[in-house]
Amino acid sequence: MDWKGDSELVTMHFNLQGRTSIVQNGMSNCFELNGNQHNLFYGTKAKGTMKFDGLQMKSFMVQFQKILFNHFKRWKRILKAVC
């Protein structure tokens, strides 16, 4: 699956089952996630290819614009100070 991003995003990728390979243009190595692994990516205007290595896989991604992600960081600090 080819993908292309045209904005500044923070992406959380959760791979629940199977294996996923991600190749981003400009990176020299492929990034791989196996079952029950996750990662956090930051990118601006990136593009690449995502490959599912197997017949069965389960995964999901959550994406935030950078400005919204920074709001979460501030709220975490506030809650930590109050609790």
Side-chain angles (χ1 to χ4, degrees):
M1 173 174 74
D2 292 335
W3 55 272
K4 183 178 181 179
D6 59 358
S7 60
E8 197 170 22
L9 292 174
V10 175
T11 301
M12 294 179 278
H13 186 172
F14 299 87
N15 203 52
L16 304 176
Q17 177 184 351
R19 183 174 163 164
T20 305
S21 303
I22 302 166
V23 178
Q24 182 173 328
N25 292 7
M27 290 178 61
S28 59
N29 295 330
C30 173
F31 183 81
E32 298 174 348
L33 287 175
N34 292 305
N36 295 320
Q37 289 186 328
H38 63 279
N39 208 331
L40 182 68
F41 296 95
Y42 167 76
T44 60
K45 299 183 181 182
K47 69 179 187 175
T49 302
M50 186 178 294
K51 179 180 161 192
F52 307 113
D53 304 326
L55 298 175
Q56 293 188 358
M57 61 81 61
K58 293 180 184 177
S59 71
F60 69 95
M61 293 175 17
V62 180
Q63 293 184 312
F64 298 98
Q65 290 183 333
K66 181 183 172 187
I67 192 165
L68 182 59
F69 186 77
N70 287 334
H71 285 294
F72 289 134
K73 290 190 321 187
R74 277 190 227 117
W75 275 106
K76 181 181 176 184
R77 276 189 241 124
I78 291 169
L79 291 174
K80 207 174 207 182
V82 172
C83 295

